[in-house]
């Protein structure tokens, strides 16, 4: 196990309290590879209740990454868990400031669980060429909060950068600037129909995620498109249609 400072190993930020509740767990990945010297696992507990706002940090811990499952322990203040709110785990592995692995599916927080396993997947070094970006994509997860069952939120991308789709209620159109694995969406014009509150919340969250997107990579094997913000956080996961 790579040694890092005691301060890093003990780092718990946000509102986590030394005498609060403690949950242990493992961060795991399926690839057969060694982690480089200095690689660090970060685990965050976040409030993901608001569809149109960034996730709110509840607690965070960092530990040295193992070449295999990495155990962690995190303290949090039970008083910060509010009834009716949604909470989820997010984990990543970084080395020399570069994001190497991250969670790309929702891991819901269960306050009754004493242990949790968080699966992280490798971040590609660049865009995949075996499955083109141009095409039709269906949103499977938006900002770690999942999507409403049987509601289609879609994005279509043309080779010339034109984009269009449906946020779940309203159709939209516009353009995107694509350079290498970098992507930014311009102003998107949408229709103005009104739908159920939950549908409108998801649509607003989707458009906020597109505005935040700064890079993409394609998992050709699983036929997935992942959009990330400037910090490397996954903001939308799509499946090819």
């Amino acid at each position: 196990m790579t040694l890092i400072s005691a301060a890093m190993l003990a780092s718990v930020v946000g509102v986590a309290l030394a005498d609060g509740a403690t949950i242990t767990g493992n961060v795991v990945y399926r690839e057969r590879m060694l982690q480089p010297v200095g690689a660090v696992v970060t685990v965050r507990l976040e409030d993901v209740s608001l569809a149109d706002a960034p996730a709110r940090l509840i607690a965070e811990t960092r530990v040295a990454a193992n070449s295999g499952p990495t155990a962690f322990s995190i303290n949090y203040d039970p008083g910060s868990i509010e009834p009716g709110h949604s909470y989820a785990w997010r984990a990543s592995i970084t080395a020399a400031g570069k994001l190497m692995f991250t969670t790309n599916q929702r891991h819901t927080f269960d306050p009754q669980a004493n242990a949790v396993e968080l699966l992280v997947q490798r971040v590609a070094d660049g865009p995949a060429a075996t499955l083109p970006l141009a095409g039709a994509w269906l949103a499977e997860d938006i900002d770690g909060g999942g999507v409403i069952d049987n509601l289609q939120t879609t994005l279509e991308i043309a080779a010339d950068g034109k984009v269009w789709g449906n946020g779940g209620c309203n159709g939209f159109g516009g353009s995107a600037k694509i350079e290498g694995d970098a992507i930014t969406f311009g102003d998107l014009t949408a229709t103005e129909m009104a739908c159920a509150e939950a549908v409108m919340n998801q649509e607003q969250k989707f458009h906020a995620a597109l505005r935040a997107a700064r890079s993409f990579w394609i998992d050709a094997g699983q036929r997935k498109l992942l959009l990330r913000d400037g910090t490397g956080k996954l903001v939308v996961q799509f499946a090819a249609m």
Side-chain angles (χ1 to χ4, degrees), residues 22-166:
T22 300
I23 291 181
T24 59
N26 286 288
V27 173
V28 301
Y29 59 89
R30 295 181 177 139
E31 290 82 354
R32 293 184 178 181
M33 62 175 291
L34 297 176
Q35 293 297 335
V37 174
V40 175
V41 167
T42 300
V43 178
R44 295 166 60 96
L45 174 60
E46 299 175 330
D47 184 337
V48 296
S49 303
L50 298 179
D52 56 351
R56 181 172 65 89
L57 178 65
I58 301 300
E60 180 181 284
T61 189
R62 295 183 177 91
V63 297
N66 292 325
S67 295
T70 297
F72 68 90
S73 176
I74 189 168
N75 289 350
Y76 71 96
D77 176 14
S80 65
I81 305 302
E82 302 179 44
H85 282 222
S86 298
Y87 298 89
W89 296 102
R90 185 155 62 92
S92 63
I93 302 177
T94 57
K98 179 181 179 181
L99 180 66
M100 299 179 60
F101 290 81
T102 189
T103 44
N104 64 5
Q105 62 185 14
R106 183 165 182 170
H107 293 269
T108 302
F109 168 69
D110 179 0
Q112 303 301 318
N114 295 320
V116 63
E117 182 174 276
L118 305 177
L119 175 65
V120 293
Q121 295 191 353
R122 190 175 183 182
V123 176
D125 293 330
T130 54
L131 182 64
L133 177 63
W137 302 94
L138 175 67
E140 292 184 322
D141 181 86
I142 304 172
D143 199 24
V147 292
I148 298 172
D149 290 341
N150 302 318
L151 179 69
Q152 288 204 333
T153 296
T154 63
L155 172 67
E156 295 192 49
I157 304 174
D160 63 359
K162 288 186 174 62
V163 299
W164 64 95
N166 193 293

